[in-house]
Protein backbone atom coordinates (compact mmCIF):
# COMPACT_ATOMS: atom_id res chain seq x y z
CA UNK A 1 0.00 0.00 0.00
CA UNK A 2 1.26 3.46 -0.82
CA UNK A 3 1.62 5.28 2.51
CA UNK A 4 1.02 8.69 0.93
CA UNK A 5 -2.14 7.94 -1.03
CA UNK A 6 -3.44 4.86 0.81
CA UNK A 7 -3.87 3.10 -2.55
CA UNK A 8 -3.09 -0.56 -2.94
CA UNK A 9 -0.25 -1.02 -5.40
CA UNK A 10 -0.06 -4.81 -5.57
CA UNK A 11 -1.96 -7.50 -3.70
CA UNK A 12 0.68 -9.89 -2.35
CA UNK A 13 -1.34 -12.10 -0.02
CA UNK A 14 -2.88 -12.16 3.43
CA UNK A 15 -2.12 -13.02 7.00
CA UNK A 16 -4.30 -15.95 8.10
CA UNK A 17 -4.73 -17.82 11.34
CA UNK A 18 -4.46 -21.54 11.91
CA UNK A 19 -5.70 -21.81 15.46
CA UNK A 20 -3.65 -19.24 17.36
CA UNK A 21 -0.84 -19.20 14.77
CA UNK A 22 -0.67 -16.30 12.33
CA UNK A 23 0.95 -17.03 8.96
CA UNK A 24 1.38 -15.47 5.53
CA UNK A 25 -0.40 -16.86 2.48
CA UNK A 26 1.04 -15.63 -0.82
CA UNK A 27 -1.57 -14.77 -3.47
CA UNK A 28 -1.12 -17.75 -5.80
CA UNK A 29 -3.43 -20.14 -7.63
CA UNK A 30 -2.13 -22.92 -5.38
CA UNK A 31 -3.34 -20.99 -2.32
CA UNK A 32 -6.79 -20.45 -3.88
CA UNK A 33 -6.50 -16.79 -4.89
CA UNK A 34 -8.22 -15.53 -8.03
CA UNK A 35 -6.13 -12.34 -8.20
CA UNK A 36 -2.58 -13.66 -8.07
CA UNK A 37 0.86 -12.10 -7.98
CA UNK A 38 2.77 -12.13 -11.25
CA UNK A 39 5.44 -14.77 -11.88
CA UNK A 40 8.35 -12.44 -11.05
CA UNK A 41 6.92 -11.50 -7.66
CA UNK A 42 6.04 -15.12 -6.94
CA UNK A 43 9.67 -16.11 -7.51
CA UNK A 44 10.90 -13.32 -5.25
CA UNK A 45 8.51 -14.16 -2.41
CA UNK A 46 7.71 -17.88 -2.72
CA UNK A 47 9.92 -18.81 0.25
CA UNK A 48 7.83 -16.50 2.47
CA UNK A 49 4.62 -18.42 1.78
CA UNK A 50 3.50 -20.06 5.01
CA UNK A 51 5.95 -18.17 7.23
CA UNK A 52 4.62 -18.07 10.78
CA UNK A 53 4.44 -14.61 12.32
CA UNK A 54 4.93 -15.16 16.05
CA UNK A 55 5.62 -11.60 17.17
CA UNK A 56 5.54 -7.98 16.10
CA UNK A 57 9.31 -8.02 15.59
CA UNK A 58 9.01 -10.98 13.19
CA UNK A 59 6.22 -9.19 11.34
CA UNK A 60 8.37 -6.05 11.04
CA UNK A 61 11.31 -8.09 9.73
CA UNK A 62 8.96 -9.87 7.30
CA UNK A 63 7.74 -6.52 5.95
CA UNK A 64 11.32 -5.28 5.64
CA UNK A 65 12.31 -8.38 3.64
CA UNK A 66 9.44 -7.81 1.22
CA UNK A 67 10.34 -4.13 0.93
CA UNK A 68 13.94 -4.96 0.03
CA UNK A 69 13.13 -7.79 -2.37
CA UNK A 70 10.56 -5.74 -4.26
CA UNK A 71 12.81 -2.66 -4.15
CA UNK A 72 10.16 -0.51 -2.49
CA UNK A 73 11.10 2.70 -0.73
CA UNK A 74 10.00 3.28 2.84
Amino acid sequence: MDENSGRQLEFLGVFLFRGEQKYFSLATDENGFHATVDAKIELLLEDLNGVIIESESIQNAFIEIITVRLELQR
Side-chain angles (χ1 to χ4, degrees), residues 1 10 13 15 20 26 30 37 43 45-46 51 57 69-72 74:
M1 176 177 283
E10 179 81 37
F15 289 115
E20 298 281 321
L26 187 63
E30 182 178 275
V37 294
L43 284 173
L45 302 180
E46 66 187 349
V51 166
S57 63
R69 288 186 187 179
L70 298 183
E71 299 177 357
L72 303 172
R74 287 188 107 202

Side-chain angles (χ1 to χ4, degrees), residues 3 5-6 8 11-14 17 20-21 24-26 30 33 35 39 43 51-53 57-58 61 64 67 71-72:
E3 291 180 358
S5 69
Q8 180 173 311
F11 179 71
L12 301 176
V14 294
F17 285 89
E20 298 281 321
Q21 244 177 8
F24 178 70
S25 181
L26 187 63
E30 182 178 275
F33 288 88
L43 284 173
V51 166
I52 297 169
I53 309 296
S57 63
I58 291 173
E64 185 62 29
T67 301
E71 299 177 357
L72 303 172

Side-chain angles (χ1 to χ4, degrees), residues 34-47:
H34 296 288
T36 62
V37 294
D38 65 34
K40 179 183 174 186
I41 290 176
E42 185 173 353
L43 284 173
L44 290 170
L45 302 180
E46 66 187 349
D47 64 317

